[in-house]
Amino acid sequence: MSYEVTIEPTGDVIEVEEGQTILDAALRQGVWLPFACGHGTCGTCKVQITDGFADLGEASPFALMDVEREEGKVLACCCMPESDLVIEADIDVDPDFAGHPVQDYSGTVTEIVTLSPTIRGLRIRLDREMDFQAGQYINLHVPGVDGSRAFSLANPPSSPQEIELHVRQVEGGKATTWLHESLQVGDQLNLSGPYGQFFVRKTDTQGAIFIAGGSGLSSPQSMILDMLAEGDNRPIYLFQGARNVAELYNRELFEQLAAKHDNFHYIPALNAPLPEDDWQGFSGFVHEAVADYFQERCAGNKAYLCGPPPMIDAAITTLMHSRLFERDIHMERFFTAADGAQEQNRSALFKRI
């Protein structure tokens, strides 16, 4: 049995199978709804039911309060229709968003490389090609671990069947520990994608500033490789932050790209270089490198941020002081079931990002 869900104000109509959430059905049919954690804890995917009946699922009482439930509000990531529905959603889809439908894939691990002391690079050959936009991510199912884990795609869309992931080992993290210590070339993995609203606004010809920290380099790598392959001639800047030289992975790749493309500029920054690093580049945090390079004048660019939350917050502050507005700053945050509720405490600087 399936139910018909009409999404206002766009008028999109989707079919939702019994036991399937509204969000899952929408994404698999190429209809975008806002969401973040996907676990019912952050409230980003909150919608209003105007007609019909539904099971609210396991929505957190912090993300969906009792008074909201009484008003007919639900979380799309948890809600399962019990009749045909009409819902109202706060949808603001960028015209540059391609909207590729989410699908399930299986893949074979073809390569595992050590990128840094804490980050491994994985290549996975899929059972078929995946259409995606540079900057998007997949949800990976790790054997023996409940749920899935989100990892950005580091390869450009021109390589749609063999994907690249950068996996940082999280202390105490069951999934990343398994991927670092147990995964072998030839192993089979299941995943779904693509997900996310992190992508280059290609119709906007302003310069592009990428700010990356840690394994957050994966999305900017995909986006930059895609832009350069397409012959995009706008100024492109990559600011990569790390503690020391050992953690500054893929440095040679970006130095080679900078030598080959006059419009691409690579600025690495180390905040704790070791004496043996003999570091001659910028010393300090990556957001400080941005302020120094642009002399706090970033107007005329769009910024794309990817990295740990403290880096994101510091970069937002720097960019705003440097005359960039909210509309010119884009980012992607990942949430787990454990920390999704922290979305309520995100930086007060911006409400949208």
Side-chain angles (χ1 to χ4, degrees), residues 40-57:
T41 57
C42 75
T44 304
C45 64
K46 194 175 297 178
V47 299
Q48 175 76 51
I49 293 180
T50 60
D51 187 34
F53 303 93
D55 178 352
L56 273 62

Side-chain angles (χ1 to χ4, degrees), residues 286-301:
V286 68
H287 67 278
E288 295 171 335
V290 175
D292 177 77
Y293 186 92
F294 285 102
Q295 298 183 333
E296 297 189 346
R297 292 180 177 85
C298 292
N301 295 284

Side-chain angles (χ1 to χ4, degrees), residues 178-231:
W178 188 90
L179 291 170
H180 270 251
E181 298 179 0
S182 301
L183 183 66
Q184 301 292 323
V185 171
D187 285 351
Q188 303 290 308
L189 294 172
N190 295 320
L191 56 95
S192 62
Y195 297 95
Q197 286 272 299
F198 191 49
F199 55 88
V200 175
R201 274 60 180 178
K202 293 185 177 179
T203 58
D204 189 312
T205 58
Q206 296 182 93
I209 300 172
F210 294 93
I211 306 175
S215 60
L217 179 67
S218 51
S219 285
Q221 176 176 304
S222 173
M223 298 156 98
I224 290 167
L225 290 175
D226 183 47
M227 294 174 75
L228 294 178
E230 290 187 346

Side-chain angles (χ1 to χ4, degrees), residues 103-112 120-128 130 138-145 147 149 151 161 163 165 167 175 178-180 182-192:
Q103 298 183 50
D104 295 318
Y105 300 85
S106 62
T108 303
V109 178
T110 58
E111 185 179 29
I112 301 174
R120 295 185 101 183
L122 311 180
R123 287 191 178 274
I124 304 171
R125 184 163 185 80
L126 305 179
D127 55 349
R128 63 191 188 283
M130 175 192 293
I138 57 94
N139 279 338
L140 183 69
H141 298 277
V142 179
V145 178
R149 299 294 185 271
F151 295 101
Q161 192 160 358
I163 63 171
L165 310 178
V167 180
W178 188 90
L179 291 170
H180 270 251
S182 301
L183 183 66
Q184 301 292 323
V185 171
D187 285 351
Q188 303 290 308
L189 294 172
N190 295 320
L191 56 95
S192 62

